[in-house]
Amino acid sequence: MTEFNPSDHPHRRLNPLTNEYILVSPHRIKRPWQGQVEPPQVLNLPQYDPACYLCPGNSRAGGLKNPDYEQVYAFENDFAAVLPGPLPVAPPALHPLLVPEPVGGGCDVIIFDRRHDLTLARLPLEKLKEIIEEWVRVYHRRGSQDNIKYVQIFENKGSMMGCSNPHPHGQVWSLSAIPTLPATELGNLKRYSLTDVPPSSAPKGSDGKPCLLCEYAHVEVALKEDDSRVVFKNEHWVVVVPWWALWPFEVLVLPYKRHVPSIAELTNEEKSAFADVLSVTTKKYDNLFSCSFAYSMGMHQRPIPVSEVADGQDKFDEAHLHLHFSPPLLRSATVRKFVVGFDIMGEGQRDMTPEQAVARLRSCDTVHYLDKLDV
């Protein structure tokens, strides 16, 4: 009988956050590619674009004019996906399978910098700290509003991830319901916190209960480098290609020294370390294929600040702050992974193993490739 080798043989891995399996098919990375190739990226963006609706002083698509901002700038999205309340009353359902659920809330755009040609990877640490503080402010502001049950912070970078404007920016969508994916994660985190797990020196959650993500980060950090999937860590944060990663160079970014339910509960020192880890992660991404690396990034945490949770309502103390980076590029700056076919109809599938991906990312420099060209 052939001895199993995870670097060569197909196998499945369970994502405990979603309770879904990922099919890993490492031998398929050798297959020839004659499919779609993405067009080369434009690298010579101007520092200011008079046609850009996010540049300072310009008129936005909705008709309002941006101030001549110098710092991080946030405004309500002119084309919000959800609208403020009060919520309309849904008509009687025609059938139990056809029940509409009205949802309300608000959407914000956060512009990271006035310069049109920069990204998180090219911003100084002080600017990244400003962005983190703005995330905290919006989390508090939206989370304190009536009927808001969840605040989702995210960034889409690159046209292949649906970003409609290259100016460096992210978004915050705040809803009157907890969206499906975070709700699933929170449910699995809660179930794990209520189970009997083997004794561990990993940080514990509320009331000494086990935390799934604290335990996972603790395991990855403790493993020898050849066995671990850690890309980078500093005093408070770790970047890991998760055991269950779907996207080729997907990473999970999270605090690992203590249980932290939300961004609002970070210390100043942890925020500084957060800025550092954002800088390193995005630089390594860009350096991987010497391009402005596309991704979707999303922050999962306690749905709203604990100070805004009404008496008797779930505080979601089992939540552990973490960021998902889901990048599509696979073989080069122009060949991406497509989530189609079996990924949609069966279960998520990847070719390159997470261990192969982490080796590639570890080898990438923490000095941006464009900064080397400027020397």
Side-chain angles (χ1 to χ4, degrees):
M1 181 179 293
T2 303
E3 184 177 351
F4 174 72
N5 183 342
S7 297
D8 295 323
H9 297 140
H11 59 282
R12 299 167 86 202
R13 301 188 183 192
L14 178 67
N15 180 346
L17 287 173
T18 62
N19 205 31
E20 295 177 345
Y21 279 95
I22 300 296
L23 174 63
V24 184
S25 310
H27 58 291
R28 276 172 54 89
I29 197 67
K30 301 173 186 177
R31 67 185 175 129
W33 180 256
Q34 293 180 313
Q36 179 172 315
V37 175
E38 304 297 325
Q41 299 181 29
V42 178
L43 292 179
N44 58 339
L45 292 173
Q47 293 188 17
Y48 167 77
D49 182 352
C52 169
Y53 55 81
L54 297 182
C55 276
N58 288 0
S59 294
R60 300 203 299 269
L64 298 176
K65 188 174 182 179
N66 295 323
D68 188 19
Y69 59 88
E70 295 285 347
Q71 309 300 321
V72 176
Y73 175 57
F75 62 89
E76 290 195 31
N77 197 317
D78 298 319
F79 299 96
V82 290
L83 303 174
L87 296 179
V89 177
L94 298 176
H95 187 277
L97 295 177
L98 307 174
V99 180
E101 180 184 329
V103 61
C107 299
D108 300 285
V109 176
I110 299 179
I111 304 179
F112 298 152
D113 193 85
R114 66 181 283 115
R115 276 183 55 173
H116 184 76
D117 61 329
L118 296 181
T119 63
L120 291 183
R122 305 298 310 284
L123 295 176
L125 289 179
E126 286 305 315
K127 178 63 71 171
L128 294 175
K129 290 178 189 177
E130 290 180 23
I131 295 168
I132 292 167
E133 292 295 351
E134 187 60 38
W135 284 338
V136 174
R137 280 192 290 272
V138 175
Y139 176 65
H140 272 294
R141 180 172 62 83
R142 287 296 192 180
S144 67
Q145 293 177 352
D146 291 342
N147 207 36
I148 294 298
K149 299 293 195 301
Y150 194 83
V151 179
Q152 178 62 64
I153 298 167
F154 66 98
E155 179 199 6
N156 293 324
K157 182 191 173 207
S159 58
M160 72 177 71
M161 295 309 285
C163 183
S164 61
N165 189 314
H167 196 109
H169 72 285
Q171 299 185 57
V172 184
W173 291 13
S174 305
L175 285 75
S176 58
I178 301 178
T180 301
L181 182 54
T184 299
E185 287 192 1
L186 289 166
N188 287 318
L189 287 167
K190 183 180 287 293
R191 276 186 283 277
Y192 188 89
S193 74
L194 299 175
T195 59
D196 292 326
V197 297
S200 167
S201 57
K204 298 296 188 290
S206 176
D207 299 326
K209 295 177 181 177
C211 167
L212 188 159
L213 285 174
C214 288
E215 183 68 27
Y216 176 64
H218 178 75
V219 169
E220 289 284 10
V221 169
L223 286 171
K224 295 180 180 178
E225 183 172 299
D226 289 346
D227 299 319
S228 169
R229 282 149 292 276
V230 171
V231 177
F232 172 80
K233 67 181 176 71
N234 59 25
E235 183 62 25
H236 296 284
W237 291 75
V238 63
V239 182
V240 58
V241 177
W243 165 261
W244 54 83
L246 168 62
W247 296 93
F249 294 98
E250 176 181 339
V251 298
L252 192 66
V253 179
L254 68 163
Y256 70 98
K257 286 291 184 71
R258 69 183 185 97
H259 181 66
V260 184
S262 79
I263 192 173
E265 293 157 79
L266 293 173
T267 65
N268 287 333
E269 186 177 326
E270 288 167 338
K271 290 176 186 176
S272 295
F274 187 12
D276 174 55
V277 88
L278 284 175
S279 179
V280 169
T281 300
T282 51
K283 282 182 170 67
K284 281 181 173 286
Y285 270 165
D286 281 10
N287 289 341
L288 183 62
F289 296 131
S290 297
C291 69
S292 186
F293 200 78
Y295 58 75
S296 278
M297 176 277 287
M299 185 183 302
H300 287 168
Q301 58 184 328
R302 193 194 300 271
I304 60 174
V306 66
S307 59
E308 304 302 330
V309 178
D311 291 341
Q313 297 297 308
D314 194 341
K315 295 182 179 179
F316 294 98
D317 287 329
E318 65 280 352
H320 188 85
L321 173 65
H322 61 285
L323 283 73
H324 296 277
F325 278 82
S326 301
L329 292 180
L330 172 60
R331 298 170 181 238
S332 68
T334 58
V335 177
R336 60 169 296 177
K337 171 182 171 60
F338 290 89
V339 178
V340 297
F342 190 83
D343 289 86
I344 298 175
M345 302 301 174
E347 63 189 21
Q349 185 272 340
R350 65 177 290 128
D351 296 344
M352 173 175 39
T353 68
E355 293 73 31
Q356 292 165 337
V358 76
R360 297 278 301 277
L361 288 172
R362 279 179 188 154
S363 69
C364 293
D365 206 336
T366 57
V367 177
H368 199 277
Y369 75 95
L370 290 177
D371 291 336
K372 293 180 180 180
L373 297 177
D374 294 340
V375 174

